[in-house]
Each structure stands twice: as C-alpha cells, then as structure tokens.
Amino acid sequence: MMRIDPEPLLTAEQIAARVRELAADIRRDLAGTRPLVLGVLKGAAFFTADLARALDMDAEVNFIRARSYAGTASTGKAAVSETEDLCLRGRTVLLVEDIVDTGTTLSALRAWLSAAEAETVRVCTLLDKPFRRTTPVTLDYAGFLVENHFVVGYGLDYEEQFRTLPALHVLKWPEEASGRPSVGG
Ligand code: IMP
C-alpha cells in the first residue's frame, strides 16, 4: 500500500483560487468564441469540471482518452481515443490536461486534434512537471509548476488510488520510509 505526504503540496483552496485565475485568462483570450472544453480522462476530469464552471461562458464540454505506451516516451507514442464521435473541424478547442510530464501524451493529443482539423487549440494543464520533458510541447495555460515528485489527488491517481483526495499530495515511495534516497517520477 502506497502512502502520501499527509501535508498537501497544494490545498483545495490554493487549487480553487488558481482555477479562478486560469478561467479569467481563458475567458478573456477566448472571448467571442464558443469553445469546446475537452478534458483528458481520467486524471483531468475533476479539473475540467471546475475549470469549465469557472469559465462562466457559453462552452461545450467533452472528454477524450489518452494512454501512453510504456517504454516509448522518446518516440512520442500515445493512444488517443474518443468517448463519443467528436466533430472538431473548425472548432476552438480548449484541451484540459492534469499534468504534463515527458510531453508524450500532449504531443499525441495535439497531433490527433490537428488531424481532426480543429481550428484553434489552446492547452491548459493544471500541473507542469518540466524536469523529465522529452518531447517539447507548448502550454498556453499552466496552473502550477511541480518538482520531480509523483503527485496524487484532485483527479490524479497512482494505480487508481488517491484520485478522490480534494488536495494534491506527494506520493511516498516505500524506499523513502526506509531512509533510502528518492528517485521520484
Ligand atoms: P507524459 O506523457 O509523460 O507527459 O505524462 C502525462 C500523463 O502521465 C499524465 O496525464 C498523467 O496521467 C501521468 N502522470 C505523469 N506524472 C504524474 C504524476 O505525478 N501523478 C499522476 N499522474 C502522472
């Protein structure tokens, strides 16, 4: 059983305040459009729901799935699949991610969105973990920069554990408990 640092890295209040700031920026930038807010399951589901409400503008919400192929991070391979038929041609899409780490998943999502002929794509990630980036990606909006920790809560999981925690916490690897140095990630 994995453990977490009981002291949140980011509290629910800090997250909510940042969500309001991001929403204000996005509302200003996308004024005059009717964006499709496209959340990436499952990690970004909670963030997408909060951000979409905070946007306070006429918008659609939908979800997409993305799964990285283990071991192929450097080749930028990730599987993208729809939860229902999406027609993105000519649309303004706000892609909502939970965390961008190596960049593999986001670059696959961008390729998928461009093949679907979305007119404008803006990317909003709650967390940016740039230290292990292998695929350069552009982020339009990023909530918080995180160090090379594995974080869980507020939708993010470790093997389906901790997703429903209201705050973000750092996962503690078993070796940390025995005093061995952490490798993180
Ligand atoms: P990337 O393809 O390496 O950028 O990884 C993106 C995906 O890996 C995210 O959407 C998450 O599902 C997962 N991930 C990466 N780092 C973390 C973390 O610290 N906690 C939980 N999930 C993570």
Side-chain angles (χ1 to χ4, degrees):
M1 188 76 167
M2 297 295 284
R3 292 185 305 114
I4 54 164
D5 187 339
E7 193 64 41
L9 180 68
L10 294 163
T11 65
E13 291 73 23
Q14 287 172 314
I15 297 167
R18 189 70 184 115
V19 167
R20 285 193 293 273
E21 290 175 354
L22 290 168
D25 289 349
I26 295 165
R27 189 186 316 118
R28 191 189 54 233
D29 296 348
L30 298 187
T33 73
R34 185 167 179 278
L36 171 63
V37 180
L38 192 58
V40 183
L41 292 173
K42 289 186 262 187
F46 298 21
F47 177 44
T48 304
D50 286 344
L51 185 69
R53 278 178 288 189
L55 274 184
D56 191 23
M57 66 191 289
D58 187 20
E60 273 179 53
V61 178
N62 219 316
F63 292 94
I64 196 169
R65 280 179 204 284
R67 199 154 285 139
S68 308
Y69 293 127
T72 58
S74 58
T75 63
K77 290 247 169 65
V80 179
S81 58
E82 294 168 273
T83 55
E84 63 179 73
D85 275 353
L86 290 175
C87 180
L88 302 183
R89 181 168 303 146
R91 297 293 311 262
T92 296
V93 176
L94 177 70
L95 186 73
V96 184
E97 258 287 25
D98 53 354
I99 184 163
V100 178
D101 183 15
T102 63
T104 302
T105 307
L106 180 55
S107 83
L109 283 159
R110 272 202 184 272
W112 193 90
L113 288 169
S114 120
E117 297 179 45
E119 184 177 284
T120 306
V121 177
R122 295 281 179 267
V123 177
C124 178
T125 184
L126 176 67
L127 304 171
D128 180 12
K129 195 158 74 168
F131 305 93
R132 301 201 316 150
R133 199 81 93 236
T134 52
T135 311
V137 286
T138 312
L139 301 172
D140 299 290
Y141 310 95
F144 301 96
L145 201 73
V146 290
E147 288 180 47
N148 197 11
H149 300 303
F150 197 91
V151 292
V152 293
Y154 192 63
L156 286 86
D157 75 310
Y158 174 76
E159 295 185 348
E160 295 303 327
Q161 232 189 308
F162 307 118
R163 210 187 278 286
T164 56
L165 294 172
L168 277 153
H169 297 260
V170 173
L171 189 72
K172 290 193 137 178
W173 303 98
E175 58 266 33
E176 285 185 82
S178 63
R180 299 228 313 269
S182 157
V183 289

mmCIF file of all heavy atoms in Angstrom, residues 40-44 66 68 73 78 97-106 127 129 132-134 146-147 149-152 156-158 185, ligand 1:
data_model
loop_
_atom_site.group_PDB
_atom_site.id
_atom_site.type_symbol
_atom_site.label_atom_id
_atom_site.label_comp_id
_atom_site.label_asym_id
_atom_site.label_seq_id
_atom_site.Cartn_x
_atom_site.Cartn_y
_atom_site.Cartn_z
ATOM 1 N N VAL A 40 -9.052 15.518 -20.602
ATOM 2 C CA VAL A 40 -8.381 14.244 -20.857
ATOM 3 C C VAL A 40 -8.622 13.314 -19.661
ATOM 4 O O VAL A 40 -8.195 13.601 -18.535
ATOM 5 C CB VAL A 40 -6.876 14.453 -21.110
ATOM 6 C CG1 VAL A 40 -6.210 13.123 -21.453
ATOM 7 C CG2 VAL A 40 -6.650 15.453 -22.240
ATOM 8 N N LEU A 41 -9.331 12.219 -19.947
ATOM 9 C CA LEU A 41 -9.672 11.253 -18.887
ATOM 10 C C LEU A 41 -8.454 10.417 -18.494
ATOM 11 O O LEU A 41 -7.596 10.182 -19.313
ATOM 12 C CB LEU A 41 -10.771 10.318 -19.390
ATOM 13 C CG LEU A 41 -12.127 10.986 -19.618
ATOM 14 C CD1 LEU A 41 -13.091 10.001 -20.275
ATOM 15 C CD2 LEU A 41 -12.702 11.536 -18.325
ATOM 16 N N LYS A 42 -8.455 9.899 -17.259
ATOM 17 C CA LYS A 42 -9.409 10.277 -16.236
ATOM 18 C C LYS A 42 -8.857 11.402 -15.356
ATOM 19 O O LYS A 42 -9.607 12.057 -14.660
ATOM 20 C CB LYS A 42 -9.701 9.061 -15.323
ATOM 21 C CG LYS A 42 -10.513 7.970 -15.985
ATOM 22 C CD LYS A 42 -10.883 6.886 -14.961
ATOM 23 C CE LYS A 42 -9.906 5.750 -15.106
ATOM 24 N NZ LYS A 42 -10.255 4.559 -14.293
ATOM 25 N N GLY A 43 -7.552 11.588 -15.401
ATOM 26 C CA GLY A 43 -6.886 12.486 -14.461
ATOM 27 C C GLY A 43 -7.435 13.903 -14.428
ATOM 28 O O GLY A 43 -7.507 14.521 -13.370
ATOM 29 N N ALA A 44 -7.809 14.426 -15.620
ATOM 30 C CA ALA A 44 -8.219 15.834 -15.674
ATOM 31 C C ALA A 44 -9.721 16.016 -15.490
ATOM 32 O O ALA A 44 -10.234 17.131 -15.650
ATOM 33 C CB ALA A 44 -7.771 16.458 -17.000
ATOM 34 N N ALA A 66 -6.517 9.292 -23.295
ATOM 35 C CA ALA A 66 -5.146 9.192 -23.812
ATOM 36 C C ALA A 66 -4.376 8.235 -22.918
ATOM 37 O O ALA A 66 -4.506 8.280 -21.694
ATOM 38 C CB ALA A 66 -4.464 10.552 -23.807
ATOM 39 N N SER A 68 -0.420 6.530 -22.572
ATOM 40 C CA SER A 68 0.960 6.416 -23.093
ATOM 41 C C SER A 68 1.318 4.949 -23.234
ATOM 42 O O SER A 68 0.917 4.132 -22.416
ATOM 43 C CB SER A 68 1.957 7.057 -22.135
ATOM 44 O OG SER A 68 1.570 8.355 -21.823
ATOM 45 N N ALA A 73 8.368 6.611 -24.595
ATOM 46 C CA ALA A 73 8.249 8.050 -24.329
ATOM 47 C C ALA A 73 9.019 8.883 -25.350
ATOM 48 O O ALA A 73 8.528 9.900 -25.827
ATOM 49 C CB ALA A 73 8.742 8.364 -22.923
ATOM 50 N N ALA A 78 1.410 7.776 -27.992
ATOM 51 C CA ALA A 78 0.357 7.600 -27.003
ATOM 52 C C ALA A 78 -0.922 7.327 -27.783
ATOM 53 O O ALA A 78 -1.094 7.815 -28.894
ATOM 54 C CB ALA A 78 0.214 8.842 -26.133
ATOM 55 N N GLU A 97 -5.590 19.234 -19.512
ATOM 56 C CA GLU A 97 -4.758 18.122 -19.028
ATOM 57 C C GLU A 97 -4.551 18.253 -17.523
ATOM 58 O O GLU A 97 -4.585 19.355 -16.975
ATOM 59 C CB GLU A 97 -3.380 18.173 -19.722
ATOM 60 C CG GLU A 97 -3.216 17.180 -20.856
ATOM 61 C CD GLU A 97 -3.064 15.733 -20.358
ATOM 62 O OE1 GLU A 97 -3.522 15.384 -19.255
ATOM 63 O OE2 GLU A 97 -2.477 14.950 -21.104
ATOM 64 N N ASP A 98 -4.290 17.116 -16.872
ATOM 65 C CA ASP A 98 -3.982 17.159 -15.441
ATOM 66 C C ASP A 98 -2.519 17.539 -15.213
ATOM 67 O O ASP A 98 -2.214 18.432 -14.438
ATOM 68 C CB ASP A 98 -4.318 15.821 -14.755
ATOM 69 C CG ASP A 98 -3.681 14.606 -15.440
ATOM 70 O OD1 ASP A 98 -3.057 14.755 -16.519
ATOM 71 O OD2 ASP A 98 -3.813 13.498 -14.891
ATOM 72 N N ILE A 99 -1.625 16.854 -15.923
ATOM 73 C CA ILE A 99 -0.196 17.088 -15.703
ATOM 74 C C ILE A 99 0.566 16.769 -16.979
ATOM 75 O O ILE A 99 0.242 15.809 -17.674
ATOM 76 C CB ILE A 99 0.312 16.248 -14.499
ATOM 77 C CG1 ILE A 99 1.774 16.543 -14.173
ATOM 78 C CG2 ILE A 99 0.098 14.763 -14.678
ATOM 79 C CD1 ILE A 99 2.194 16.071 -12.772
ATOM 80 N N VAL A 100 1.516 17.607 -17.301
ATOM 81 C CA VAL A 100 2.389 17.353 -18.453
ATOM 82 C C VAL A 100 3.767 17.022 -17.901
ATOM 83 O O VAL A 100 4.376 17.829 -17.200
ATOM 84 C CB VAL A 100 2.438 18.562 -19.406
ATOM 85 C CG1 VAL A 100 3.390 18.289 -20.567
ATOM 86 C CG2 VAL A 100 1.036 18.870 -19.939
ATOM 87 N N ASP A 101 4.202 15.812 -18.198
ATOM 88 C CA ASP A 101 5.462 15.302 -17.648
ATOM 89 C C ASP A 101 6.485 15.190 -18.794
ATOM 90 O O ASP A 101 7.143 16.171 -19.124
ATOM 91 C CB ASP A 101 5.155 13.953 -16.981
ATOM 92 C CG ASP A 101 6.347 13.318 -16.291
ATOM 93 O OD1 ASP A 101 7.349 14.017 -16.070
ATOM 94 O OD2 ASP A 101 6.283 12.120 -15.965
ATOM 95 N N THR A 102 6.591 14.048 -19.450
ATOM 96 C CA THR A 102 7.535 13.933 -20.567
ATOM 97 C C THR A 102 7.064 14.712 -21.790
ATOM 98 O O THR A 102 7.873 15.074 -22.642
ATOM 99 C CB THR A 102 7.726 12.457 -20.985
ATOM 100 O OG1 THR A 102 6.484 11.950 -21.461
ATOM 101 C CG2 THR A 102 8.229 11.611 -19.837
ATOM 102 N N GLY A 103 5.759 14.930 -21.900
ATOM 103 C CA GLY A 103 5.198 15.630 -23.063
ATOM 104 C C GLY A 103 4.670 14.674 -24.125
ATOM 105 O O GLY A 103 4.043 15.095 -25.096
ATOM 106 N N THR A 104 4.904 13.381 -23.918
ATOM 107 C CA THR A 104 4.479 12.360 -24.890
ATOM 108 C C THR A 104 2.975 12.411 -25.153
ATOM 109 O O THR A 104 2.527 12.450 -26.295
ATOM 110 C CB THR A 104 4.831 10.960 -24.341
ATOM 111 O OG1 THR A 104 6.222 10.927 -24.097
ATOM 112 C CG2 THR A 104 4.461 9.875 -25.316
ATOM 113 N N THR A 105 2.214 12.404 -24.082
ATOM 114 C CA THR A 105 0.757 12.357 -24.214
ATOM 115 C C THR A 105 0.245 13.613 -24.905
ATOM 116 O O THR A 105 -0.562 13.532 -25.833
ATOM 117 C CB THR A 105 0.111 12.212 -22.817
ATOM 118 O OG1 THR A 105 0.699 11.103 -22.164
ATOM 119 C CG2 THR A 105 -1.386 12.028 -22.920
ATOM 120 N N LEU A 106 0.732 14.762 -24.466
ATOM 121 C CA LEU A 106 0.243 16.014 -25.046
ATOM 122 C C LEU A 106 0.605 16.121 -26.523
ATOM 123 O O LEU A 106 -0.214 16.580 -27.333
ATOM 124 C CB LEU A 106 0.787 17.210 -24.265
ATOM 125 C CG LEU A 106 0.331 18.566 -24.784
ATOM 126 C CD1 LEU A 106 -1.192 18.661 -24.849
ATOM 127 C CD2 LEU A 106 0.888 19.685 -23.905
ATOM 128 N N LEU A 127 -0.991 21.058 -13.887
ATOM 129 C CA LEU A 127 0.377 20.943 -13.381
ATOM 130 C C LEU A 127 1.361 20.772 -14.528
ATOM 131 O O LEU A 127 1.089 20.042 -15.483
ATOM 132 C CB LEU A 127 0.485 19.719 -12.452
ATOM 133 C CG LEU A 127 -0.491 19.679 -11.278
ATOM 134 C CD1 LEU A 127 -0.431 18.325 -10.590
ATOM 135 C CD2 LEU A 127 -0.185 20.790 -10.280
ATOM 136 N N LYS A 129 5.230 19.596 -15.067
ATOM 137 C CA LYS A 129 6.403 18.951 -14.451
ATOM 138 C C LYS A 129 7.478 18.879 -15.527
ATOM 139 O O LYS A 129 7.615 17.879 -16.220
ATOM 140 C CB LYS A 129 5.972 17.552 -13.978
ATOM 141 C CG LYS A 129 6.911 16.889 -13.030
ATOM 142 C CD LYS A 129 6.245 15.796 -12.199
ATOM 143 C CE LYS A 129 5.957 14.533 -12.953
ATOM 144 N NZ LYS A 129 5.566 13.402 -12.051
ATOM 145 N N ARG A 132 11.311 16.206 -16.665
ATOM 146 C CA ARG A 132 11.542 14.956 -17.412
ATOM 147 C C ARG A 132 11.063 15.079 -18.861
ATOM 148 O O ARG A 132 10.836 14.080 -19.532
ATOM 149 C CB ARG A 132 10.801 13.798 -16.739
ATOM 150 C CG ARG A 132 11.234 13.569 -15.297
ATOM 151 C CD ARG A 132 10.893 12.191 -14.832
ATOM 152 N NE ARG A 132 9.550 11.800 -15.243
ATOM 153 C CZ ARG A 132 9.208 10.536 -15.488
ATOM 154 N NH1 ARG A 132 10.100 9.588 -15.365
ATOM 155 N NH2 ARG A 132 7.972 10.239 -15.846
ATOM 156 N N ARG A 133 10.923 16.327 -19.331
ATOM 157 C CA ARG A 133 10.391 16.533 -20.679
ATOM 158 C C ARG A 133 11.300 15.904 -21.721
ATOM 159 O O ARG A 133 12.504 16.152 -21.718
ATOM 160 C CB ARG A 133 10.244 18.035 -20.950
ATOM 161 C CG ARG A 133 9.316 18.338 -22.091
ATOM 162 C CD ARG A 133 7.838 18.302 -21.665
ATOM 163 N NE ARG A 133 7.343 19.605 -21.276
ATOM 164 C CZ ARG A 133 6.796 19.872 -20.099
ATOM 165 N NH1 ARG A 133 6.658 18.932 -19.197
ATOM 166 N NH2 ARG A 133 6.376 21.069 -19.821
ATOM 167 N N THR A 134 10.737 15.071 -22.581
ATOM 168 C CA THR A 134 11.499 14.504 -23.698
ATOM 169 C C THR A 134 10.948 15.004 -25.033
ATOM 170 O O THR A 134 11.644 14.978 -26.037
ATOM 171 C CB THR A 134 11.438 12.963 -23.692
ATOM 172 O OG1 THR A 134 10.066 12.573 -23.630
ATOM 173 C CG2 THR A 134 12.180 12.378 -22.507
ATOM 174 N N VAL A 146 5.440 21.876 -10.825
ATOM 175 C CA VAL A 146 5.790 20.946 -9.745
ATOM 176 C C VAL A 146 7.171 20.357 -9.981
ATOM 177 O O VAL A 146 7.588 20.153 -11.110
ATOM 178 C CB VAL A 146 4.765 19.797 -9.536
ATOM 179 C CG1 VAL A 146 3.474 20.309 -8.968
ATOM 180 C CG2 VAL A 146 4.529 19.003 -10.792
ATOM 181 N N GLU A 147 7.857 20.110 -8.895
ATOM 182 C CA GLU A 147 9.177 19.496 -8.990
ATOM 183 C C GLU A 147 9.022 18.035 -9.371
ATOM 184 O O GLU A 147 7.924 17.558 -9.606
ATOM 185 C CB GLU A 147 9.899 19.645 -7.650
ATOM 186 C CG GLU A 147 10.319 21.080 -7.409
ATOM 187 C CD GLU A 147 11.024 21.220 -6.081
ATOM 188 O OE1 GLU A 147 11.917 20.402 -5.804
ATOM 189 O OE2 GLU A 147 10.664 22.131 -5.329
ATOM 190 N N HIS A 149 8.291 15.293 -8.407
ATOM 191 C CA HIS A 149 7.567 14.432 -7.474
ATOM 192 C C HIS A 149 6.494 13.700 -8.253
ATOM 193 O O HIS A 149 6.053 14.186 -9.290
ATOM 194 C CB HIS A 149 6.807 15.259 -6.429
ATOM 195 C CG HIS A 149 7.629 16.139 -5.587
ATOM 196 N ND1 HIS A 149 8.663 15.664 -4.819
ATOM 197 C CD2 HIS A 149 7.558 17.464 -5.360
ATOM 198 C CE1 HIS A 149 9.187 16.688 -4.157
ATOM 199 N NE2 HIS A 149 8.544 17.784 -4.467
ATOM 200 N N PHE A 150 6.018 12.592 -7.726
ATOM 201 C CA PHE A 150 4.795 11.989 -8.245
ATOM 202 C C PHE A 150 3.665 12.491 -7.370
ATOM 203 O O PHE A 150 3.684 12.308 -6.155
ATOM 204 C CB PHE A 150 4.870 10.458 -8.240
ATOM 205 C CG PHE A 150 3.829 9.847 -9.126
ATOM 206 C CD1 PHE A 150 4.111 9.580 -10.460
ATOM 207 C CD2 PHE A 150 2.554 9.573 -8.645
ATOM 208 C CE1 PHE A 150 3.138 9.049 -11.297
ATOM 209 C CE2 PHE A 150 1.577 9.040 -9.472
ATOM 210 C CZ PHE A 150 1.871 8.772 -10.797
ATOM 211 N N VAL A 151 2.701 13.173 -7.962
ATOM 212 C CA VAL A 151 1.641 13.790 -7.174
ATOM 213 C C VAL A 151 0.311 13.096 -7.431
ATOM 214 O O VAL A 151 0.051 12.615 -8.537
ATOM 215 C CB VAL A 151 1.534 15.305 -7.445
ATOM 216 C CG1 VAL A 151 2.756 16.031 -6.926
ATOM 217 C CG2 VAL A 151 1.357 15.596 -8.923
ATOM 218 N N VAL A 152 -0.507 13.063 -6.397
ATOM 219 C CA VAL A 152 -1.819 12.409 -6.492
ATOM 220 C C VAL A 152 -2.869 13.286 -5.814
ATOM 221 O O VAL A 152 -2.554 14.166 -5.014
ATOM 222 C CB VAL A 152 -1.809 11.006 -5.823
ATOM 223 C CG1 VAL A 152 -0.918 10.037 -6.572
ATOM 224 C CG2 VAL A 152 -1.392 11.102 -4.352
ATOM 225 N N LEU A 156 -5.837 13.047 -9.877
ATOM 226 C CA LEU A 156 -4.638 12.297 -10.261
ATOM 227 C C LEU A 156 -4.495 11.065 -9.373
ATOM 228 O O LEU A 156 -4.716 11.145 -8.159
ATOM 229 C CB LEU A 156 -3.378 13.164 -10.128
ATOM 230 C CG LEU A 156 -3.201 14.225 -11.212
ATOM 231 C CD1 LEU A 156 -3.942 15.491 -10.835
ATOM 232 C CD2 LEU A 156 -1.732 14.535 -11.424
ATOM 233 N N ASP A 157 -4.106 9.967 -9.978
ATOM 234 C CA ASP A 157 -4.047 8.711 -9.228
ATOM 235 C C ASP A 157 -2.666 8.087 -9.282
ATOM 236 O O ASP A 157 -1.825 8.459 -10.095
ATOM 237 C CB ASP A 157 -5.040 7.702 -9.818
ATOM 238 C CG ASP A 157 -4.533 7.124 -11.142
ATOM 239 O OD1 ASP A 157 -4.135 7.916 -12.011
ATOM 240 O OD2 ASP A 157 -4.508 5.891 -11.286
ATOM 241 N N TYR A 158 -2.468 7.121 -8.398
ATOM 242 C CA TYR A 158 -1.385 6.163 -8.565
ATOM 243 C C TYR A 158 -2.063 4.799 -8.572
ATOM 244 O O TYR A 158 -2.627 4.378 -7.556
ATOM 245 C CB TYR A 158 -0.363 6.255 -7.420
ATOM 246 C CG TYR A 158 0.687 5.162 -7.526
ATOM 247 C CD1 TYR A 158 1.698 5.259 -8.470
ATOM 248 C CD2 TYR A 158 0.615 4.019 -6.736
ATOM 249 C CE1 TYR A 158 2.619 4.249 -8.616
ATOM 250 C CE2 TYR A 158 1.534 3.001 -6.869
ATOM 251 C CZ TYR A 158 2.541 3.122 -7.814
ATOM 252 O OH TYR A 158 3.454 2.114 -7.968
ATOM 253 N N GLY A 185 9.506 10.737 -9.787
ATOM 254 C CA GLY A 185 8.925 10.439 -11.090
ATOM 255 C C GLY A 185 7.970 9.290 -11.022
ATOM 256 O O GLY A 185 7.185 9.031 -11.834
HETATM 257 P P1 IMP B 1 3.535 12.445 -20.167
HETATM 258 O O1 IMP B 1 3.010 11.758 -21.397
HETATM 259 O O2 IMP B 1 4.822 11.845 -19.682
HETATM 260 O O3 IMP B 1 3.621 13.948 -20.287
HETATM 261 O O4 IMP B 1 2.580 12.092 -18.992
HETATM 262 C C1 IMP B 1 1.318 12.559 -18.903
HETATM 263 C C2 IMP B 1 0.455 11.625 -18.088
HETATM 264 O O5 IMP B 1 1.208 10.810 -17.168
HETATM 265 C C3 IMP B 1 -0.490 12.445 -17.248
HETATM 266 O O6 IMP B 1 -1.642 12.800 -17.964
HETATM 267 C C4 IMP B 1 -0.729 11.511 -16.100
HETATM 268 O O7 IMP B 1 -1.754 10.609 -16.418
HETATM 269 C C5 IMP B 1 0.559 10.746 -15.928
HETATM 270 N N1 IMP B 1 1.418 11.372 -14.878
HETATM 271 C C6 IMP B 1 2.628 11.944 -15.059
HETATM 272 N N2 IMP B 1 3.116 12.417 -13.890
HETATM 273 C C7 IMP B 1 2.178 12.146 -12.958
HETATM 274 C C8 IMP B 1 2.087 12.411 -11.540
HETATM 275 O O8 IMP B 1 2.962 12.997 -10.894
HETATM 276 N N3 IMP B 1 0.955 11.951 -10.934
HETATM 277 C C9 IMP B 1 -0.044 11.318 -11.590
HETATM 278 N N4 IMP B 1 -0.005 11.065 -12.901
HETATM 279 C C10 IMP B 1 1.097 11.467 -13.588
#
